[in-house]
Amino acid sequence: LEQYNMTVEFVQNAASGFQRELRIGIGLYEQFFLSRFLSDYIKAYPKIKISLFQFPYQQLLEQFSRGNLDIIFTSDQFISSGTLQKYENALICNKPWNVAVHKDMPIANCQQLTNKMIGDYVLISMHNGSVNQIRNIYKSQGVTESFRDIIHVNSYEAKLTLVNAGVGVCFLPAFVLAKNFGNVVLKKLSPYYIPRNFYAMCEKGSLNGSIEEMFKQCLASCKDLQDPVVQK
């Protein structure tokens, strides 16, 4: 049924004057990549019909593997080395994550934060599981487990909403902006924290030239997010 619907949509797009179609998939944060270059890309290629879908990362990879998406921008949370070898891929971001804190918290005045400093606060996290399970995840990643409490949310907007209200602190990828949350400031953490890297992925040998152009646009606009020194 998915393949049938895709075929029908392709014919309808051709009848409407679109020469090519590009189905883009993103996870929880990757809209910030697209905001850097998508407008210029659409202006440069007006005959391409753009579709955009957002999924949790595991579901995003499932949709991609079933051929329902042409290109995805994703974290490597559920990506194995074998998966990376199977598909065309490009590293977009491997820079350390930031800590989002309320501007009135004492730690907001520090130039750089440590694990001990943030351990006194409530952590807002998108990890699933019990408080103890989530504590162990952060401990295994080299982050303190002594948070005063842990609150589970299911989106980065929910994270920032709670930080903006002074409820606690959270971790965000280096490319995520908090400009719509006036009380939130982003701080560096020492030692640095990189739980995940971010990639663009597509099928190898795809005949859709729009994908290659998008790869080029994305990598050119995200050069500042690629650190050759930092390793995961």
Side-chain angles (χ1 to χ4, degrees):
L1 287 174
E2 288 173 348
Q3 295 300 318
Y4 171 80
N5 289 331
M6 288 164 54
T7 302
V8 171
E9 185 175 357
F10 178 83
V11 174
Q12 291 173 340
N13 290 339
S16 299
F18 292 105
Q19 296 174 351
R20 289 180 288 181
E21 180 184 13
L22 193 60
R23 298 163 300 166
I24 306 169
I26 59 174
L28 301 174
Y29 298 108
E30 290 75 14
Q31 60 269 33
F32 289 97
F33 293 142
L34 294 182
S35 66
R36 289 173 169 232
F37 67 88
L38 187 58
S39 178
D40 290 339
Y41 178 84
I42 292 174
K43 290 177 182 177
Y45 303 97
K47 290 294 185 178
I48 298 175
K49 181 176 181 179
I50 299 290
S51 300
L52 179 62
F53 306 91
Q54 187 171 33
F55 300 100
Y57 289 114
Q58 193 164 18
Q59 189 177 352
L60 175 65
L61 288 171
E62 290 172 357
Q63 291 290 328
F64 176 60
S65 66
R66 284 155 55 182
N68 295 333
L69 299 169
D70 298 308
I71 183 171
I72 61 172
F73 300 93
T74 178
S75 82
D76 60 5
Q77 183 177 4
F78 298 103
I79 299 178
S80 65
S81 58
T83 301
L84 283 178
Q85 294 173 3
K86 180 180 178 181
Y87 297 103
E88 196 74 37
N89 69 83
L91 176 67
I92 301 175
C93 177
N94 65 341
K95 296 191 77 172
W97 289 37
N98 293 320
V99 184
V101 305
H102 191 281
K103 65 180 183 181
D104 293 335
M105 290 177 175
I107 58 175
N109 298 318
C110 301
Q111 185 173 3
Q112 197 170 52
L113 305 183
T114 65
N115 288 333
K116 184 176 180 181
M117 290 177 182
I118 63 175
D120 295 330
Y121 293 88
V122 173
L123 178 69
I124 303 159
S125 173
M126 285 195 285
H127 281 297
N128 289 311
S130 68
V131 170
N132 285 336
Q133 288 173 329
I134 297 174
R135 287 186 195 277
N136 288 332
I137 289 173
Y138 283 104
K139 181 181 179 181
S140 69
Q141 295 173 340
V143 183
T144 180
E145 60 175 326
S146 62
F147 296 106
R148 178 151 45 96
D149 196 6
I150 295 177
I151 296 176
H152 174 260
V153 294
N154 65 352
S155 71
Y156 91 92
E157 293 96 339
K159 274 187 177 183
L160 288 174
T161 297
L162 293 183
V163 174
N164 196 65
V167 174
V169 303
C170 73
F171 295 110
L172 294 172
F175 54 85
V176 173
L177 306 177
K179 60 184 180 181
N180 293 329
F181 298 85
N183 294 329
V184 176
V185 293
L186 301 178
K187 313 297 292 188
K188 300 295 182 183
L189 183 67
S190 180
Y192 62 75
Y193 174 59
I194 311 178
R196 302 182 192 108
N197 293 328
F198 294 84
Y199 288 84
M201 296 175 60
C202 70
E203 287 281 356
K204 287 185 176 180
S206 173
L207 298 178
N208 188 341
S210 310
I211 297 175
E212 182 180 356
E213 297 298 336
M214 177 157 282
F215 257 82
K216 291 178 181 178
Q217 289 265 13
C218 177
L219 293 177
S221 67
C222 297
K223 284 183 178 179
D224 60 311
L225 300 177
Q226 299 156 28
D227 192 334
V229 177
V230 173
Q231 299 295 323
K232 182 179 175 185

